[in-house]
Amino acid sequence: MLDIMVSHKIHGLDIICRRCGNAESATTPYLNRFQLEGTDKDTATLRCLNCQTSVSLPLSQLNALFYTHAC
């Protein structure tokens, strides 16, 4: 089970850190509580700014706005 969960909605996606409870409902390409870093060809690293937990995710899990911002 991943420490950071990404769930898709109709107008964006929800990001929840299961370790510290930090959560964000993202509707813009800018994150306030999480940081998108270390993008690779097919993966990106998503880090919780509260507890510094990170998880590597496939770029296909991110919506188009985040994918454009990450590349």
Short mmCIF file of all heavy atoms in Angstrom, two decimals:
data_model
loop_
_atom_site.label_atom_id
_atom_site.label_comp_id
_atom_site.label_asym_id
_atom_site.label_seq_id
_atom_site.Cartn_x
_atom_site.Cartn_y
_atom_site.Cartn_z
N MET A 1 0.85 -1.17 0.00
CA MET A 1 0.00 0.00 0.00
C MET A 1 0.90 1.24 0.00
O MET A 1 1.87 1.32 0.74
CB MET A 1 -0.90 -0.02 1.23
CG MET A 1 -1.82 1.16 1.29
SD MET A 1 -3.20 0.97 2.44
CE MET A 1 -2.40 0.83 3.98
N LEU A 2 0.56 2.21 -0.82
CA LEU A 2 1.33 3.44 -0.92
C LEU A 2 1.06 4.37 0.25
O LEU A 2 -0.05 4.44 0.76
CB LEU A 2 1.00 4.15 -2.23
CG LEU A 2 1.36 3.43 -3.53
CD1 LEU A 2 0.85 4.21 -4.72
CD2 LEU A 2 2.85 3.24 -3.62
N ASP A 3 2.12 5.10 0.66
CA ASP A 3 1.97 6.06 1.75
C ASP A 3 1.21 7.31 1.31
O ASP A 3 0.58 7.96 2.11
CB ASP A 3 3.33 6.47 2.31
CG ASP A 3 3.98 5.35 3.08
OD1 ASP A 3 3.26 4.54 3.67
OD2 ASP A 3 5.22 5.29 3.10
N ILE A 4 1.32 7.64 0.02
CA ILE A 4 0.59 8.79 -0.53
C ILE A 4 -0.39 8.26 -1.56
O ILE A 4 -0.01 7.56 -2.49
CB ILE A 4 1.55 9.81 -1.16
CG1 ILE A 4 2.48 10.38 -0.09
CG2 ILE A 4 0.76 10.93 -1.84
CD1 ILE A 4 3.51 11.35 -0.62
N MET A 5 -1.65 8.57 -1.37
CA MET A 5 -2.70 8.07 -2.25
C MET A 5 -3.18 9.19 -3.18
O MET A 5 -3.42 10.31 -2.73
CB MET A 5 -3.87 7.57 -1.41
CG MET A 5 -4.97 6.93 -2.22
SD MET A 5 -6.31 6.32 -1.20
CE MET A 5 -7.11 7.86 -0.77
N VAL A 6 -3.30 8.89 -4.45
CA VAL A 6 -3.81 9.82 -5.45
C VAL A 6 -5.12 9.25 -5.97
O VAL A 6 -5.15 8.14 -6.50
CB VAL A 6 -2.81 10.01 -6.60
CG1 VAL A 6 -3.38 10.91 -7.67
CG2 VAL A 6 -1.49 10.54 -6.09
N SER A 7 -6.21 9.99 -5.80
CA SER A 7 -7.49 9.54 -6.32
C SER A 7 -8.03 10.59 -7.28
O SER A 7 -7.94 11.78 -7.01
CB SER A 7 -8.49 9.27 -5.19
OG SER A 7 -8.76 10.46 -4.50
N HIS A 8 -8.58 10.14 -8.38
CA HIS A 8 -9.05 11.03 -9.43
C HIS A 8 -10.49 11.44 -9.21
O HIS A 8 -11.30 10.66 -8.72
CB HIS A 8 -8.90 10.34 -10.79
CG HIS A 8 -7.48 10.07 -11.14
ND1 HIS A 8 -6.68 10.99 -11.75
CD2 HIS A 8 -6.70 9.00 -10.91
CE1 HIS A 8 -5.48 10.50 -11.91
NE2 HIS A 8 -5.46 9.28 -11.41
N LYS A 9 -10.78 12.70 -9.55
CA LYS A 9 -12.14 13.23 -9.52
C LYS A 9 -12.45 13.76 -10.92
O LYS A 9 -11.62 13.70 -11.81
CB LYS A 9 -12.27 14.38 -8.52
CG LYS A 9 -11.83 14.10 -7.15
CD LYS A 9 -12.17 15.22 -6.18
CE LYS A 9 -11.82 16.58 -6.70
NZ LYS A 9 -12.09 17.65 -5.75
N ILE A 10 -13.61 14.33 -11.07
CA ILE A 10 -14.00 14.87 -12.38
C ILE A 10 -13.20 16.13 -12.71
O ILE A 10 -12.69 16.28 -13.80
CB ILE A 10 -15.51 15.17 -12.41
CG1 ILE A 10 -16.28 13.86 -12.29
CG2 ILE A 10 -15.90 15.90 -13.67
CD1 ILE A 10 -17.77 14.03 -12.15
N HIS A 11 -13.04 17.04 -11.76
CA HIS A 11 -12.36 18.32 -12.02
C HIS A 11 -11.02 18.41 -11.31
O HIS A 11 -10.69 19.41 -10.70
CB HIS A 11 -13.24 19.49 -11.59
CG HIS A 11 -14.52 19.56 -12.34
ND1 HIS A 11 -14.60 19.86 -13.66
CD2 HIS A 11 -15.79 19.33 -11.93
CE1 HIS A 11 -15.85 19.83 -14.05
NE2 HIS A 11 -16.60 19.50 -13.02
N GLY A 12 -10.21 17.38 -11.35
CA GLY A 12 -8.92 17.40 -10.70
C GLY A 12 -8.64 16.08 -10.01
O GLY A 12 -9.15 15.05 -10.40
N LEU A 13 -7.84 16.12 -8.96
CA LEU A 13 -7.56 14.91 -8.21
C LEU A 13 -7.29 15.25 -6.76
O LEU A 13 -6.97 16.37 -6.41
CB LEU A 13 -6.39 14.13 -8.81
CG LEU A 13 -5.09 14.87 -9.13
CD1 LEU A 13 -4.08 14.69 -8.03
CD2 LEU A 13 -4.53 14.30 -10.41
N ASP A 14 -7.46 14.26 -5.90
CA ASP A 14 -7.20 14.40 -4.47
C ASP A 14 -5.90 13.68 -4.15
O ASP A 14 -5.66 12.58 -4.64
CB ASP A 14 -8.32 13.78 -3.64
CG ASP A 14 -9.58 14.62 -3.65
OD1 ASP A 14 -9.48 15.84 -3.80
OD2 ASP A 14 -10.66 14.04 -3.51
N ILE A 15 -5.09 14.29 -3.31
CA ILE A 15 -3.84 13.70 -2.87
C ILE A 15 -3.88 13.63 -1.35
O ILE A 15 -4.14 14.63 -0.69
CB ILE A 15 -2.63 14.52 -3.34
CG1 ILE A 15 -2.66 14.67 -4.86
CG2 ILE A 15 -1.33 13.88 -2.88
CD1 ILE A 15 -1.66 15.65 -5.40
N ILE A 16 -3.64 12.45 -0.79
CA ILE A 16 -3.72 12.25 0.65
C ILE A 16 -2.48 11.49 1.11
O ILE A 16 -2.14 10.46 0.56
CB ILE A 16 -4.98 11.44 1.03
CG1 ILE A 16 -6.24 12.16 0.54
CG2 ILE A 16 -5.04 11.20 2.53
CD1 ILE A 16 -7.48 11.31 0.58
N CYS A 17 -1.81 12.02 2.15
CA CYS A 17 -0.69 11.33 2.77
C CYS A 17 -1.25 10.47 3.90
O CYS A 17 -1.84 10.99 4.84
CB CYS A 17 0.34 12.32 3.31
SG CYS A 17 1.73 11.52 4.14
N ARG A 18 -1.08 9.17 3.81
CA ARG A 18 -1.62 8.27 4.82
C ARG A 18 -0.77 8.26 6.09
O ARG A 18 -1.22 7.80 7.12
CB ARG A 18 -1.72 6.86 4.26
CG ARG A 18 -2.74 6.76 3.17
CD ARG A 18 -2.85 5.36 2.69
NE ARG A 18 -3.81 5.30 1.61
CZ ARG A 18 -4.35 4.19 1.17
NH1 ARG A 18 -4.03 3.05 1.71
NH2 ARG A 18 -5.21 4.21 0.18
N ARG A 19 0.44 8.75 6.01
CA ARG A 19 1.32 8.73 7.17
C ARG A 19 0.99 9.86 8.16
O ARG A 19 0.93 9.65 9.35
CB ARG A 19 2.77 8.84 6.72
CG ARG A 19 3.74 8.61 7.86
CD ARG A 19 5.11 8.40 7.35
NE ARG A 19 5.20 7.02 6.86
CZ ARG A 19 6.31 6.49 6.40
NH1 ARG A 19 7.39 7.20 6.33
NH2 ARG A 19 6.34 5.24 5.99
N CYS A 20 0.77 11.10 7.66
CA CYS A 20 0.52 12.23 8.56
C CYS A 20 -0.89 12.81 8.41
O CYS A 20 -1.28 13.66 9.19
CB CYS A 20 1.56 13.33 8.34
SG CYS A 20 1.40 14.19 6.77
N GLY A 21 -1.64 12.41 7.39
CA GLY A 21 -3.00 12.91 7.21
C GLY A 21 -3.08 14.17 6.37
O GLY A 21 -4.16 14.73 6.22
N ASN A 22 -1.98 14.64 5.84
CA ASN A 22 -1.96 15.82 4.99
C ASN A 22 -2.76 15.53 3.72
O ASN A 22 -2.59 14.48 3.11
CB ASN A 22 -0.51 16.17 4.65
CG ASN A 22 -0.35 17.56 4.13
OD1 ASN A 22 -1.24 18.38 4.21
ND2 ASN A 22 0.83 17.84 3.60
N ALA A 23 -3.63 16.44 3.32
CA ALA A 23 -4.48 16.21 2.15
C ALA A 23 -4.62 17.49 1.34
O ALA A 23 -4.54 18.59 1.87
CB ALA A 23 -5.85 15.71 2.57
N GLU A 24 -4.82 17.30 0.05
CA GLU A 24 -5.02 18.44 -0.84
C GLU A 24 -5.92 18.04 -1.98
O GLU A 24 -5.80 16.95 -2.54
CB GLU A 24 -3.67 18.90 -1.38
CG GLU A 24 -3.78 20.11 -2.26
CD GLU A 24 -2.43 20.79 -2.47
OE1 GLU A 24 -1.40 20.22 -2.14
OE2 GLU A 24 -2.45 21.90 -2.98
N SER A 25 -6.84 18.91 -2.32
CA SER A 25 -7.69 18.74 -3.47
C SER A 25 -7.19 19.71 -4.53
O SER A 25 -7.37 20.92 -4.40
CB SER A 25 -9.15 19.01 -3.12
OG SER A 25 -9.96 18.84 -4.25
N ALA A 26 -6.53 19.19 -5.52
CA ALA A 26 -5.84 20.03 -6.48
C ALA A 26 -6.73 20.32 -7.69
O ALA A 26 -7.20 19.41 -8.35
CB ALA A 26 -4.56 19.34 -6.94
N THR A 27 -6.95 21.60 -7.94
CA THR A 27 -7.69 22.01 -9.13
C THR A 27 -6.84 22.90 -10.02
O THR A 27 -7.27 23.28 -11.09
CB THR A 27 -8.98 22.75 -8.75
OG1 THR A 27 -8.64 23.86 -7.91
CG2 THR A 27 -9.94 21.83 -8.02
N THR A 28 -5.64 23.26 -9.58
CA THR A 28 -4.70 24.05 -10.36
C THR A 28 -3.39 23.27 -10.48
O THR A 28 -3.17 22.31 -9.74
CB THR A 28 -4.41 25.41 -9.68
OG1 THR A 28 -3.73 25.16 -8.45
CG2 THR A 28 -5.68 26.18 -9.42
N PRO A 29 -2.50 23.65 -11.37
CA PRO A 29 -1.24 22.90 -11.52
C PRO A 29 -0.24 23.18 -10.40
O PRO A 29 0.87 22.67 -10.45
CB PRO A 29 -0.72 23.37 -12.86
CG PRO A 29 -1.32 24.69 -13.10
CD PRO A 29 -2.65 24.65 -12.42
N TYR A 30 -0.59 23.95 -9.40
CA TYR A 30 0.33 24.28 -8.33
C TYR A 30 -0.12 23.62 -7.03
O TYR A 30 -1.25 23.79 -6.61
CB TYR A 30 0.44 25.80 -8.15
CG TYR A 30 0.87 26.47 -9.41
CD1 TYR A 30 -0.03 27.18 -10.19
CD2 TYR A 30 2.18 26.36 -9.86
CE1 TYR A 30 0.37 27.78 -11.37
CE2 TYR A 30 2.59 26.95 -11.04
CZ TYR A 30 1.68 27.67 -11.79
OH TYR A 30 2.06 28.24 -12.96
N LEU A 31 0.77 22.88 -6.42
CA LEU A 31 0.47 22.20 -5.16
C LEU A 31 0.95 23.05 -3.99
O LEU A 31 2.01 23.67 -4.06
CB LEU A 31 1.18 20.85 -5.12
CG LEU A 31 0.75 19.82 -6.17
CD1 LEU A 31 1.69 18.64 -6.15
CD2 LEU A 31 -0.67 19.38 -5.89
N ASN A 32 0.18 23.08 -2.90
CA ASN A 32 0.56 23.82 -1.71
C ASN A 32 1.14 22.92 -0.63
O ASN A 32 2.02 23.34 0.11
CB ASN A 32 -0.64 24.58 -1.14
CG ASN A 32 -1.13 25.64 -2.09
OD1 ASN A 32 -0.34 26.28 -2.75
ND2 ASN A 32 -2.43 25.82 -2.16
N ARG A 33 0.64 21.71 -0.51
CA ARG A 33 1.05 20.81 0.58
C ARG A 33 1.91 19.65 0.10
O ARG A 33 2.42 18.89 0.92
CB ARG A 33 -0.19 20.27 1.27
CG ARG A 33 -0.98 21.37 1.92
CD ARG A 33 -2.18 20.82 2.63
NE ARG A 33 -2.90 21.92 3.24
CZ ARG A 33 -4.21 22.03 3.21
NH1 ARG A 33 -4.93 21.11 2.64
NH2 ARG A 33 -4.78 23.06 3.77
N PHE A 34 2.06 19.49 -1.20
CA PHE A 34 2.87 18.42 -1.77
C PHE A 34 3.79 19.01 -2.82
O PHE A 34 3.50 20.06 -3.39
CB PHE A 34 1.97 17.35 -2.41
CG PHE A 34 1.15 16.59 -1.42
CD1 PHE A 34 -0.09 17.03 -1.04
CD2 PHE A 34 1.64 15.43 -0.86
CE1 PHE A 34 -0.86 16.35 -0.12
CE2 PHE A 34 0.89 14.73 0.07
CZ PHE A 34 -0.36 15.19 0.43
N GLN A 35 4.89 18.33 -3.07
CA GLN A 35 5.85 18.79 -4.06
C GLN A 35 6.06 17.70 -5.10
O GLN A 35 6.26 16.53 -4.76
CB GLN A 35 7.17 19.13 -3.38
CG GLN A 35 8.21 19.66 -4.32
CD GLN A 35 9.47 20.06 -3.57
OE1 GLN A 35 9.58 19.86 -2.38
NE2 GLN A 35 10.39 20.63 -4.28
N LEU A 36 6.02 18.08 -6.35
CA LEU A 36 6.27 17.18 -7.45
C LEU A 36 7.73 17.36 -7.87
O LEU A 36 8.14 18.45 -8.24
CB LEU A 36 5.33 17.50 -8.62
CG LEU A 36 5.30 16.55 -9.78
CD1 LEU A 36 4.87 15.17 -9.33
CD2 LEU A 36 4.37 17.07 -10.85
N GLU A 37 8.52 16.30 -7.78
CA GLU A 37 9.95 16.43 -8.04
C GLU A 37 10.48 15.16 -8.70
O GLU A 37 9.81 14.14 -8.74
CB GLU A 37 10.71 16.67 -6.73
CG GLU A 37 10.52 15.58 -5.73
CD GLU A 37 11.14 15.88 -4.38
OE1 GLU A 37 11.25 17.06 -4.02
OE2 GLU A 37 11.49 14.93 -3.69
N GLY A 38 11.67 15.25 -9.20
CA GLY A 38 12.38 14.09 -9.74
C GLY A 38 11.65 13.38 -10.84
O GLY A 38 11.54 12.17 -10.80
N THR A 39 11.14 14.11 -11.80
CA THR A 39 10.41 13.46 -12.88
C THR A 39 11.37 12.68 -13.77
O THR A 39 12.46 13.13 -14.09
CB THR A 39 9.63 14.48 -13.73
OG1 THR A 39 10.54 15.43 -14.24
CG2 THR A 39 8.57 15.15 -12.89
N ASP A 40 10.99 11.51 -14.12
CA ASP A 40 11.74 10.64 -15.01
C ASP A 40 10.94 10.53 -16.31
O ASP A 40 9.96 11.24 -16.49
CB ASP A 40 11.89 9.27 -14.34
CG ASP A 40 12.94 8.40 -15.01
OD1 ASP A 40 13.68 8.92 -15.87
OD2 ASP A 40 13.01 7.21 -14.66
N LYS A 41 11.32 9.65 -17.17
CA LYS A 41 10.61 9.50 -18.44
C LYS A 41 9.16 9.05 -18.21
O LYS A 41 8.24 9.56 -18.83
CB LYS A 41 11.33 8.50 -19.32
CG LYS A 41 10.68 8.30 -20.65
CD LYS A 41 11.44 7.33 -21.50
CE LYS A 41 10.72 7.11 -22.82
NZ LYS A 41 11.39 6.10 -23.63
N ASP A 42 8.96 8.11 -17.30
CA ASP A 42 7.63 7.55 -17.07
C ASP A 42 7.11 7.72 -15.64
O ASP A 42 5.98 7.38 -15.36
CB ASP A 42 7.61 6.06 -17.40
CG ASP A 42 7.92 5.81 -18.86
OD1 ASP A 42 7.51 6.64 -19.70
OD2 ASP A 42 8.58 4.81 -19.17
N THR A 43 7.95 8.23 -14.72
CA THR A 43 7.54 8.34 -13.33
C THR A 43 7.84 9.73 -12.77
O THR A 43 8.67 10.46 -13.30
CB THR A 43 8.25 7.30 -12.44
OG1 THR A 43 9.65 7.53 -12.50
CG2 THR A 43 7.94 5.89 -12.87
N ALA A 44 7.18 10.06 -11.68
CA ALA A 44 7.43 11.30 -10.95
C ALA A 44 7.44 10.98 -9.46
O ALA A 44 6.80 10.03 -9.02
CB ALA A 44 6.34 12.32 -11.26
N THR A 45 8.15 11.77 -8.69
CA THR A 45 8.19 11.61 -7.24
C THR A 45 7.31 12.68 -6.61
O THR A 45 7.48 13.86 -6.89
CB THR A 45 9.63 11.73 -6.71
OG1 THR A 45 10.43 10.74 -7.35
CG2 THR A 45 9.67 11.53 -5.21
N LEU A 46 6.38 12.25 -5.80
CA LEU A 46 5.47 13.16 -5.10
C LEU A 46 5.84 13.13 -3.62
O LEU A 46 5.87 12.07 -3.00
CB LEU A 46 4.03 12.70 -5.30
CG LEU A 46 2.93 13.63 -4.84
CD1 LEU A 46 2.97 14.95 -5.60
CD2 LEU A 46 1.58 12.97 -5.03
N ARG A 47 6.18 14.30 -3.03
CA ARG A 47 6.64 14.39 -1.65
C ARG A 47 5.67 15.21 -0.82
O ARG A 47 5.25 16.29 -1.21
CB ARG A 47 8.02 15.03 -1.61
CG ARG A 47 8.60 15.14 -0.20
CD ARG A 47 10.00 15.68 -0.20
NE ARG A 47 10.91 14.93 -1.02
CZ ARG A 47 11.53 13.80 -0.65
NH1 ARG A 47 11.31 13.31 0.55
NH2 ARG A 47 12.36 13.20 -1.47
N CYS A 48 5.33 14.69 0.37
CA CYS A 48 4.52 15.43 1.33
C CYS A 48 5.42 16.44 2.03
O CYS A 48 6.47 16.09 2.56
CB CYS A 48 3.93 14.45 2.35
SG CYS A 48 3.04 15.26 3.69
N LEU A 49 5.03 17.71 2.03
CA LEU A 49 5.85 18.74 2.64
C LEU A 49 5.73 18.77 4.16
O LEU A 49 6.55 19.39 4.83
CB LEU A 49 5.48 20.11 2.06
CG LEU A 49 5.79 20.28 0.57
CD1 LEU A 49 5.31 21.64 0.09
CD2 LEU A 49 7.28 20.12 0.31
N ASN A 50 4.77 18.05 4.72
CA ASN A 50 4.60 18.01 6.17
C ASN A 50 5.53 16.99 6.82
O ASN A 50 6.27 17.31 7.73
CB ASN A 50 3.14 17.71 6.51
CG ASN A 50 2.83 17.91 7.96
OD1 ASN A 50 3.43 18.74 8.62
ND2 ASN A 50 1.87 17.15 8.46
N CYS A 51 5.52 15.74 6.34
CA CYS A 51 6.32 14.68 6.96
C CYS A 51 7.45 14.19 6.07
O CYS A 51 8.17 13.27 6.45
CB CYS A 51 5.42 13.52 7.38
SG CYS A 51 4.68 12.63 6.00
N GLN A 52 7.60 14.75 4.89
CA GLN A 52 8.66 14.41 3.92
C GLN A 52 8.57 12.99 3.37
O GLN A 52 9.54 12.46 2.86
CB GLN A 52 10.05 14.65 4.54
CG GLN A 52 10.31 16.08 4.93
CD GLN A 52 10.21 17.03 3.73
OE1 GLN A 52 10.75 16.76 2.68
NE2 GLN A 52 9.51 18.12 3.92
N THR A 53 7.41 12.37 3.47
CA THR A 53 7.20 11.06 2.85
C THR A 53 7.11 11.24 1.35
O THR A 53 6.50 12.19 0.87
CB THR A 53 5.90 10.43 3.38
OG1 THR A 53 5.99 10.29 4.78
CG2 THR A 53 5.63 9.09 2.75
N SER A 54 7.74 10.34 0.61
CA SER A 54 7.68 10.46 -0.85
C SER A 54 7.30 9.12 -1.45
O SER A 54 7.51 8.06 -0.86
CB SER A 54 9.01 10.93 -1.41
OG SER A 54 10.01 9.97 -1.18
N VAL A 55 6.73 9.19 -2.63
CA VAL A 55 6.33 8.00 -3.36
C VAL A 55 6.56 8.26 -4.85
O VAL A 55 6.40 9.38 -5.32
CB VAL A 55 4.86 7.61 -3.06
CG1 VAL A 55 3.91 8.65 -3.59
CG2 VAL A 55 4.53 6.25 -3.61
N SER A 56 6.98 7.23 -5.56
CA SER A 56 7.19 7.34 -6.99
C SER A 56 5.92 6.85 -7.70
O SER A 56 5.43 5.76 -7.42
CB SER A 56 8.38 6.47 -7.39
OG SER A 56 8.81 6.78 -8.66
N LEU A 57 5.39 7.70 -8.58
CA LEU A 57 4.14 7.40 -9.27
C LEU A 57 4.33 7.42 -10.77
O LEU A 57 5.13 8.21 -11.28
CB LEU A 57 3.08 8.46 -8.92
CG LEU A 57 2.66 8.61 -7.48
CD1 LEU A 57 1.82 9.86 -7.33
CD2 LEU A 57 1.88 7.39 -7.04
N PRO A 58 3.60 6.60 -11.51
CA PRO A 58 3.61 6.73 -12.96
C PRO A 58 2.96 8.04 -13.39
O PRO A 58 2.00 8.50 -12.75
CB PRO A 58 2.81 5.54 -13.46
CG PRO A 58 2.32 4.82 -12.28
CD PRO A 58 2.79 5.50 -11.05
N LEU A 59 3.48 8.66 -14.42
CA LEU A 59 2.92 9.94 -14.88
C LEU A 59 1.48 9.80 -15.34
O LEU A 59 0.74 10.77 -15.36
CB LEU A 59 3.78 10.51 -16.01
CG LEU A 59 5.14 11.05 -15.58
CD1 LEU A 59 5.93 11.51 -16.81
CD2 LEU A 59 4.99 12.19 -14.60
N SER A 60 1.06 8.59 -15.67
CA SER A 60 -0.32 8.39 -16.12
C SER A 60 -1.31 8.62 -14.98
O SER A 60 -2.49 8.85 -15.24
CB SER A 60 -0.49 6.98 -16.68
OG SER A 60 -0.20 6.02 -15.68
N GLN A 61 -0.88 8.58 -13.71
CA GLN A 61 -1.79 8.84 -12.59
C GLN A 61 -2.04 10.32 -12.37
O GLN A 61 -2.97 10.69 -11.68
CB GLN A 61 -1.23 8.23 -11.30
CG GLN A 61 -1.39 6.75 -11.22
CD GLN A 61 -1.11 6.23 -9.84
OE1 GLN A 61 -0.74 6.99 -8.94
NE2 GLN A 61 -1.31 4.95 -9.66
N LEU A 62 -1.20 11.16 -12.94
CA LEU A 62 -1.38 12.60 -12.79
C LEU A 62 -2.25 13.11 -13.93
O LEU A 62 -2.21 12.60 -15.03
CB LEU A 62 -0.02 13.30 -12.81
CG LEU A 62 0.97 12.85 -11.76
CD1 LEU A 62 2.29 13.55 -11.97
CD2 LEU A 62 0.43 13.13 -10.37
N ASN A 63 -3.03 14.15 -13.64
CA ASN A 63 -3.86 14.69 -14.71
C ASN A 63 -3.02 15.55 -15.65
O ASN A 63 -1.83 15.77 -15.42
CB ASN A 63 -5.06 15.45 -14.15
CG ASN A 63 -4.68 16.69 -13.38
OD1 ASN A 63 -3.53 17.07 -13.33
ND2 ASN A 63 -5.65 17.33 -12.79
N ALA A 64 -3.58 16.04 -16.71
CA ALA A 64 -2.84 16.76 -17.75
C ALA A 64 -2.16 18.01 -17.23
O ALA A 64 -1.04 18.35 -17.65
CB ALA A 64 -3.78 17.12 -18.90
N LEU A 65 -2.78 18.73 -16.29
CA LEU A 65 -2.16 19.95 -15.76
C LEU A 65 -0.87 19.64 -14.99
O LEU A 65 0.13 20.32 -15.17
CB LEU A 65 -3.16 20.67 -14.84
CG LEU A 65 -4.36 21.29 -15.50
CD1 LEU A 65 -5.31 21.84 -14.45
CD2 LEU A 65 -3.95 22.39 -16.46
N PHE A 66 -0.89 18.62 -14.16
CA PHE A 66 0.30 18.25 -13.41
C PHE A 66 1.37 17.70 -14.34
O PHE A 66 2.55 17.93 -14.15
CB PHE A 66 -0.02 17.22 -12.32
CG PHE A 66 -0.68 17.85 -11.14
CD1 PHE A 66 -2.04 17.69 -10.94
CD2 PHE A 66 0.03 18.60 -10.22
CE1 PHE A 66 -2.66 18.27 -9.86
CE2 PHE A 66 -0.58 19.17 -9.14
CZ PHE A 66 -1.93 18.99 -8.95
N TYR A 67 0.97 16.93 -15.33
CA TYR A 67 1.93 16.36 -16.27
C TYR A 67 2.66 17.47 -17.03
O TYR A 67 3.87 17.43 -17.20
CB TYR A 67 1.20 15.44 -17.26
CG TYR A 67 2.12 14.79 -18.25
CD1 TYR A 67 2.91 13.71 -17.86
CD2 TYR A 67 2.22 15.26 -19.56
CE1 TYR A 67 3.76 13.11 -18.76
CE2 TYR A 67 3.08 14.66 -20.45
CZ TYR A 67 3.85 13.58 -20.05
OH TYR A 67 4.69 12.99 -20.95
N THR A 68 1.96 18.50 -17.45
CA THR A 68 2.57 19.64 -18.14
C THR A 68 3.50 20.39 -17.20
O THR A 68 4.61 20.79 -17.58
CB THR A 68 1.49 20.59 -18.66
OG1 THR A 68 0.63 19.86 -19.53
CG2 THR A 68 2.08 21.75 -19.41
N HIS A 69 3.10 20.57 -15.94
CA HIS A 69 3.91 21.26 -14.95
C HIS A 69 5.18 20.48 -14.60
O HIS A 69 6.21 21.05 -14.32
CB HIS A 69 3.08 21.53 -13.70
CG HIS A 69 3.77 22.32 -12.66
ND1 HIS A 69 4.12 23.64 -12.82
CD2 HIS A 69 4.20 21.98 -11.42
CE1 HIS A 69 4.73 24.07 -11.75
NE2 HIS A 69 4.79 23.08 -10.87
N ALA A 70 5.08 19.15 -14.62
CA ALA A 70 6.20 18.30 -14.21
C ALA A 70 7.28 18.21 -15.29
O ALA A 70 8.45 18.04 -14.97
CB ALA A 70 5.69 16.90 -13.89
N CYS A 71 6.89 18.32 -16.53
CA CYS A 71 7.86 18.11 -17.62
C CYS A 71 8.61 19.37 -18.00
O CYS A 71 8.27 20.43 -17.75
CB CYS A 71 7.17 17.56 -18.84
SG CYS A 71 6.52 15.92 -18.54
#
